[in-house]
Amino acid sequence: MGRVEEQLREAAPQVLGILIRRYGQFDACEDAVQEALLSAATQWPEEGIPDNPRAWLVTVASRRLTDQFRSDAARRRREATVASMGEETYEDQPTAHDDTLTLLFLCCHPSLTAASQIALTLRAVGGLTTAQIAHAFLVPEATMAQRISRAKQRVKATGSEFTMPPEPERAERLRAVLHVLYLIFNEGYTATSGPDLHRGELTREAIRLTRGLHRALPDDGEVAGLLALMLLTDARRPARTRPDGSLVPLAEQDRALWSRPDIEEGVALITDTLARAPIGPYQIQAAIAAVHDEAPRADDTDWPQILGLYSVLERVAPGPMVTLNHAIALAMVKGPRAGLDLLATLDSDDRIASHHRLAATRAHLLEITGDAAAARAQYQLAAKRTSSVPEQRYLEARAARLAT
């Protein structure tokens, strides 16, 4: 990422927060910020980055809002006030309030669907363009623009003010924020559809936003746990695909390619937070990722420890994906039949019964038992169920190998 782009990504949510706090009107402020960012992206590479980038952006965006309000006859009563405010040059003080956290809470408003929360967060807080978000999720730009527009209108209709949620609601809203960041990261790390396994713009943005959230809430164990989980997982990304883009499973990856700085940072984060904060699901998942990352070879993985951690995770945050991963750990410790028995409990769970990962995991365990025919059928079923091209090719290759 270039220096100009880095400055713009960092400043965008802060500028938007300042404007919403001053003027209200989420959608108008967000449009003004996008135009200011476009002006900066055009001018700064030629003229140089201003001494105070945030103040420059606020001033340009404020003038854009002033012009808009002046041209709108329905807002004539506000014209004089807005014009006098907008024409001033914004002086950014060292102690200026950073509204990024408030903006994150607003974008993850409980009235919005998860898809809308993700889109609005990437647009307003992440600074991604509508075209970039649409490309990441493989939908037409017009579709994503409508989704973002509806989300902004929904937030406006709720009458939400640009303030932090009341204390009784804050913990629940923070869980929603963490979930949205987790979903953004997962979609970037293993794209649910399309020709590429990774979407780097999403994983980078999820890590950047979670890192900012951790700076704002350094004592929150789950925020630290989520950041650690992302770092420890993303550390393996360089080894997950071959030069032709084909998928490499964890057990076969060249661990020399893993990012040691990310692993060290993630391990330090999770070690610190587990020692001082109430335990939560993101911390447990990060601890599991750390056990994988610290093993020099796949054969050195401490599977009994991972099994114990999944048993804890099942109690803290039960769910079908947790059970599926628990079954893998159980198979590695007590044999594939034990894992298959646990997988069988998911066949009646509508949330995962038709998911490709259930069929793929069952295929892997059946292959270990030596039942090649059954394993091949499950690999073929999993390949039909996934819309990710790299995963599809990998599963088809496993099935073909068993056929010969």
Side-chain angles (χ1 to χ4, degrees), residues 5 9 127-137 141 201-202:
E5 185 180 355
R9 284 282 179 89
L128 271 66
T129 65
T130 304
Q132 287 173 317
I133 303 169
H135 174 73
F137 287 93
E141 185 175 348
E201 70 273 26
L202 292 183

Side-chain angles (χ1 to χ4, degrees), residues 176-214:
V177 169
L178 293 176
H179 183 60
V180 165
L181 295 176
Y182 179 68
L183 291 176
I184 293 171
F185 177 83
N186 283 346
E187 180 59 31
Y189 191 70
T190 305
T192 52
S193 59
D196 300 316
L197 184 65
H198 306 118
R199 295 203 177 104
E201 70 273 26
L202 292 183
T203 52
R204 287 192 298 270
E205 199 54 35
I207 291 172
R208 188 183 74 83
L209 293 176
T210 307
R211 196 183 291 282
L213 189 60
H214 178 55

Side-chain angles (χ1 to χ4, degrees), residues 270-343:
I270 191 58
T271 301
D272 173 67
T273 193
L274 284 175
R276 61 177 176 78
I279 195 167
Y282 292 119
Q283 295 168 68
I284 300 170
Q285 291 177 73
I288 292 169
V291 175
H292 280 296
D293 287 10
E294 291 184 308
R297 301 175 306 148
D299 290 344
D300 298 324
T301 304
D302 188 346
W303 282 107
Q305 184 179 357
I306 291 175
L307 178 60
L309 287 167
Y310 271 118
S311 297
V312 175
L313 186 58
E314 283 263 43
R315 293 196 298 271
V316 172
M321 279 298 180
V322 175
T323 301
L324 185 146
N325 286 300
H326 190 181
I328 296 172
L330 185 65
M332 297 303 292
V333 175
K334 298 188 177 181
R337 283 297 168 193
L340 287 166
D341 288 344
L342 184 54
L343 284 183

Side-chain angles (χ1 to χ4, degrees), residues 342-383:
L342 184 54
L343 284 183
T345 65
L346 296 174
D347 290 336
S348 58
D349 190 328
D350 293 339
R351 295 171 295 175
I352 199 173
S354 60
H355 198 286
H356 76 278
R357 280 204 62 197
L358 178 58
T361 302
R362 180 174 280 124
H364 175 63
L365 298 186
L366 285 168
E367 185 178 356
I368 296 174
T369 67
D371 191 344
R376 180 176 178 233
Q378 288 296 310
Y379 278 130
Q380 290 172 329
L381 178 61

Side-chain angles (χ1 to χ4, degrees), residues 383-399:
K384 290 178 182 177
R385 286 178 172 174
T386 182
S387 52
S388 166
V389 174
E391 287 188 317
Q392 207 169 64
R393 289 173 178 164
Y394 169 77
L395 293 164
E396 288 171 348
R398 301 287 291 197

